[in-house]
Amino acid sequence: TQLLEQSPQFLSIQEGENLTVYCNSSSVFSSLQWYRQEPGEGPVLLVTVVTGGEVKKLKRLTFQFGDARKDSSLHITAAQTGDTGLYLCAGGRSFGNEKLTFGTGTRLTIIP
Amino acid sequence: ETGVTQTPRHLVMGMTNKKSLKCEQHLGHNAMYWYKQSAKKPLELMFVYNFKEQTENNSVPSRFSPECPNSSHLFLHLHTLQPEDSALYLCASSQTGQGGNQPQHFGDGTRLSIL
């Protein structure tokens, strides 16, 4: 069973602070996707990383895929209240199987 | 608006009832998924359909019965559910052909409560 562990499970910080959340596995994935889910809604894709060591930036969010393609991190700079939500990582394989393995999630709360 | 619509948004049912959840996608995708999201548990994949054919059943109890009449519609038929089945049920869709590298587009879910 491929397992994606996310840490921390819960994080509550003040607006304006920086934070990093992690997604770790013992398995290799061909891609890693990050989603954000807000209350009452389904997860929404933020980014996909596919190359070991890849770094992608989405405004104040920086995503990195580990060199061995087993882990990933999400760094948020100067957090805003709109960043509040459940952050989910999901690992994918390249061929023959459309399914994703979702992580355990990090519930982020930004305090005004 | 994600392009994936789920109905109803909320459902309360007794253990002996029969009900169905509906999912419709307007994105031209060929793969559709049912997930269960419970508190304190990771998102659990239930079923995968690819071009209307079921390609994954993740050991789901038979009281959950999926149906995919075409690539745009997915149903989850429910009967004699248990209290532990109370959860948010999410539908998703994606393109096919590149395995798990394709992003999935989710509906907003059906919040199911079993009395």
Side-chain angles (χ1 to χ4, degrees):
Chain A
T1 301
Q2 306 166 41
L3 195 61
L4 278 167
E5 295 279 354
Q6 290 186 242
S7 62
Q9 189 177 356
F10 298 95
L11 182 59
S12 185
I13 64 169
Q14 293 287 336
E15 195 171 22
E17 294 184 355
N18 302 333
L19 66 108
T20 303
V21 299
Y22 300 92
C23 172
N24 294 294
S25 174
S26 57
S27 301
V28 175
F29 293 98
S30 60
S31 69
L32 214 298
Q33 300 176 18
W34 283 92
Y35 292 80
R36 179 169 64 213
Q37 184 177 16
E38 299 186 20
E41 299 182 7
V44 175
L45 179 74
L46 295 173
V47 77
T48 302
V49 284
V50 297
T51 306
E54 181 177 2
V55 176
K56 275 192 175 178
K57 291 193 174 183
L58 184 66
K59 297 183 181 178
R60 295 174 294 101
L61 279 59
T62 302
F63 304 84
Q64 184 162 8
F65 201 9
D67 291 341
R69 290 186 288 128
K70 292 183 179 181
D71 55 85
S72 182
S73 63
L74 158 59
H75 182 78
I76 301 179
T77 303
Q80 299 177 357
T81 55
D83 297 327
T84 292
L86 176 66
Y87 287 80
L88 296 164
C89 64
R93 292 290 180 90
S94 284
F95 302 104
N97 191 330
E98 255 66 34
K99 69 179 186 180
L100 291 171
T101 300
F102 276 86
T104 49
T106 292
R107 192 165 295 279
L108 176 64
T109 302
I110 307 301
I111 304 166
Chain B
E1 178 59 51
T2 66
V4 180
T5 304
Q6 288 188 245
T7 55
R9 291 296 311 276
H10 301 273
L11 179 60
V12 180
M13 57 187 283
M15 289 191 285
T16 59
N17 291 157
K18 287 185 181 182
K19 296 285 185 183
S20 296
L21 309 185
K22 179 182 175 182
C23 176
E24 183 175 0
Q25 58 97 359
H26 309 277
L27 300 169
H29 292 160
N30 289 307
M32 295 189 77
Y33 312 77
W34 280 117
Y35 288 89
K36 176 183 180 182
Q37 189 173 37
S38 308
K40 302 180 182 179
K41 279 189 175 182
L43 203 59
E44 298 174 69
L45 179 65
M46 300 174 71
F47 302 102
V48 181
Y49 278 82
N50 204 346
F51 291 96
K52 302 188 300 178
E53 298 298 319
Q54 187 181 116
T55 56
E56 182 91 13
N57 177 337
N58 202 19
S59 302
V60 180
S62 59
R63 57 185 183 270
F64 294 91
S65 175
E67 178 189 0
C68 189
N70 55 60
S71 292
S72 299
H73 293 87
L74 186 63
F75 296 90
L76 189 62
H77 304 299
L78 316 171
H79 62 98
T80 58
L81 295 192
Q82 304 299 309
E84 62 266 27
D85 297 323
S86 296
L88 181 68
Y89 288 84
L90 289 162
C91 171
S93 70
S94 73
Q95 288 286 11
T96 56
Q98 292 187 30
N101 290 339
Q102 293 292 341
Q104 293 187 8
H105 296 253
F106 286 83
D108 288 335
T110 295
R111 173 71 60 187
L112 177 64
S113 299
I114 306 299
L115 301 179

